[in-house]
Amino acid sequence: MSDSSAGGEWEPADDAPDGWPVALRGVTESVIATKGPNDLWNFAALGLHAGDPVTAQTYGNTRTRRNFERREGGVVQFVADPRAFVDAALTIREAPEPVLPSADAWVEVEAACVGSRTEGETTIREWELTPDESAVVREGPTTINRGFGAVIEATVAASRLGVAGFDDAELRDRLDFLATVVDHCGGAREREAMAAVAAASDWERPEN
Amino acid sequence: MSDSSAGGEWEPADDAPDGWPVALRGVTESVIATKGPNDLWNFAALGLHAGDPVTAQTYGNTRTRRNFERREGGVVQFVADPRAFVDAALTIREAPEPVLPSADAWVEVEAACVGSRTEGETTIREWELTPDESAVVREGPTTINRGFGAVIEATVAASRLGVAGFDDAELRDRLDFLATVVDHCGGAREREAMAAVAAASDWERPEN
């Protein structure tokens, strides 16, 4: 560590993988648009596992899985609006165009199924994603808003309510805590997104 | 909502307040560098409350408070490295220069004390921050990594261990959960940052 550094060594950013518009590390939460049999684009959450190739998993017989099988791909996007993430993850949302207004970047991907396993009654498919056309729409410095992170965690917790293997009471306690973080630290868009989590699940926000 | 939108109305970004290098909403977590009596810069976490003017609070007789009183300001920065945030928040860290290598943006601020109150034995001071020189160093699209958010939450939880008014067992349960999120979703920098949380507190990571 140099004397002028207070944060240890730092490389400005991970390199974006070839063909991808953003750097990836660990699991990056994205929104995937896939075209359905009605020719509308369906939006869902998709966790991208960094690696060469980048991979993702579908859980059960979802629209994303069926559309990947049918169309062999979709449009991955990186959204700045927590409400867009909540709607993709927790509701059925379709549109005639695949790129959301709040996408800071997007990339068309080919999806090839490279594995399948079963956990309980759920079939988990693993997909290799190969990037094609991509674009960066909007850039800015990193900022940290705990309310934004709380909405993402709340979306994950809400999606697990009633699912075998998860403790409902623990998930609800976590959601109650995350709601207080949104109240204290979020902006208008986080509060709207947290209301959307409540509307799309059977969790109810505690009174303040 | 237009038919082509799947995420509702969207304005690309909040406007950055006059003189600030980034948009602010709710509470934005930043790192503040303040110059101490030894002429070294001290780094600490500082939550910026959006508004006109932007405000922040110091809790107790911290170095940031004393240096604000002594120097009437400091350098606010927006870091992309979770380890830099952990070190600023949980350790005493000083350097000869005020801007961290992982700062995506920074702004010199004047700090004026505009209020003071007491909670328990802690004196909380409120500061109005007036921006001066600023710079954007690095920009990119928004990406969502649950591990990054988990490190920030873990830093907050660890800073409350042993503090009156907080439930230690609840904080430790939360830290255990956040460690699993970092393991599953974080990259190398989040794992390093979570290890730094453990090293700087008396919380111990559970075995995997």
Side-chain angles (χ1 to χ4, degrees):
Chain A
M1 193 188 311
S2 82
D3 278 345
S4 68
S5 164
E9 306 264 333
W10 175 251
E11 293 173 16
D14 305 294
D15 288 331
D18 276 351
W20 289 80
V22 302
L24 301 174
R25 67 181 189 278
V27 180
T28 300
E29 308 300 327
S30 76
V31 170
I32 177 79
T34 53
K35 204 173 203 179
N38 60 358
D39 275 350
L40 290 173
W41 293 87
N42 178 74
F43 297 87
L46 190 71
L48 306 174
H49 294 247
D52 183 13
V54 174
T55 59
Q57 297 179 335
T58 52
Y59 294 81
N61 181 23
T62 59
R63 287 170 182 238
T64 299
R65 169 185 147 185
R66 296 197 301 273
N67 292 341
F68 270 176
E69 288 171 349
R70 187 181 285 124
R71 309 275 190 176
E72 298 178 346
V75 182
V76 166
Q77 49 213 287
F78 303 91
V79 296
D81 180 6
R83 171 69 189 274
F85 184 80
V86 170
D87 286 349
L90 299 181
T91 74
I92 303 298
R93 194 159 277 276
E94 296 180 318
E97 301 296 334
V99 176
L100 295 171
S102 69
D104 276 3
W106 55 264
V107 53
E108 296 175 5
V109 295
E110 285 180 34
C113 185
V114 293
S116 188
R117 69 181 197 277
T118 301
E119 282 184 10
E121 297 183 346
T122 304
T123 300
I124 300 171
R125 297 231 159 140
E126 181 164 7
W127 304 85
E128 282 188 5
L129 304 179
T130 305
D132 191 8
E133 195 182 342
S134 72
V136 171
V137 178
R138 204 178 296 116
E139 296 185 292
T142 302
T143 55
I144 302 173
N145 184 296
R146 289 176 61 206
F148 185 95
V151 169
I152 305 302
E153 279 307 309
T155 304
V156 174
S159 72
R160 291 174 175 171
L161 286 173
V163 175
F166 294 99
D167 181 330
D168 244 48
E170 195 176 292
L171 292 170
R172 287 173 194 282
D173 283 350
R174 191 175 307 149
L175 283 160
D176 291 352
F177 167 72
L178 294 166
T180 68
V181 175
V182 169
D183 287 343
H184 291 142
C185 302
R189 64 187 61 176
E190 281 78 22
R191 288 193 292 276
E192 183 192 330
M194 202 67 182
V197 171
S201 68
D202 75 345
W203 167 73
E204 283 183 34
R205 286 192 49 126
E207 298 288 325
N208 289 326
Chain B
M1 193 187 313
S2 82
D3 279 343
S4 69
S5 163
E9 307 263 334
W10 175 249
E11 294 171 15
D14 304 295
D15 288 332
D18 277 352
W20 289 80
V22 303
L24 301 174
R25 68 182 189 279
V27 181
T28 300
E29 308 301 327
S30 77
V31 170
I32 176 79
T34 54
K35 203 173 203 179
N38 59 0
D39 276 350
L40 290 174
W41 293 87
N42 178 74
F43 297 87
L46 191 71
L48 307 173
H49 294 246
D52 183 13
V54 174
T55 60
Q57 297 178 337
T58 51
Y59 293 81
N61 181 24
T62 60
R63 287 170 181 238
T64 299
R65 169 185 147 185
R66 296 197 302 273
N67 292 340
F68 270 176
E69 288 170 348
R70 188 179 288 127
R71 308 277 189 176
E72 298 177 347
V75 181
V76 166
Q77 49 214 287
F78 302 91
V79 296
D81 180 5
R83 170 69 190 273
F85 184 80
V86 170
D87 286 348
L90 299 181
T91 73
I92 303 297
R93 194 160 277 276
E94 297 180 317
E97 301 296 332
V99 177
L100 295 171
S102 70
D104 276 4
W106 55 264
V107 54
E108 296 175 7
V109 296
E110 284 179 34
C113 186
V114 293
S116 187
R117 69 180 196 280
T118 301
E119 283 184 10
E121 297 183 347
T122 304
T123 301
I124 300 171
R125 300 233 157 137
E126 181 164 7
W127 303 86
E128 283 187 3
L129 304 180
T130 305
D132 190 9
E133 195 182 341
S134 71
V136 171
V137 178
R138 205 177 295 118
E139 296 186 291
T142 302
T143 55
I144 303 173
N145 184 295
R146 289 177 60 206
F148 185 94
V151 170
I152 305 303
E153 280 307 309
T155 304
V156 174
S159 72
R160 292 173 174 171
L161 286 172
V163 176
F166 293 100
D167 180 330
D168 244 48
E170 195 176 294
L171 292 170
R172 288 172 193 281
D173 283 349
R174 191 176 306 148
L175 284 160
D176 292 351
F177 167 72
L178 295 166
T180 67
V181 174
V182 169
D183 287 342
H184 290 141
C185 303
R189 65 186 64 174
E190 281 79 21
R191 287 192 293 277
E192 183 193 332
M194 202 68 182
V197 171
S201 69
D202 74 345
W203 167 73
E204 283 183 34
R205 286 191 49 128
E207 298 289 324
N208 288 326

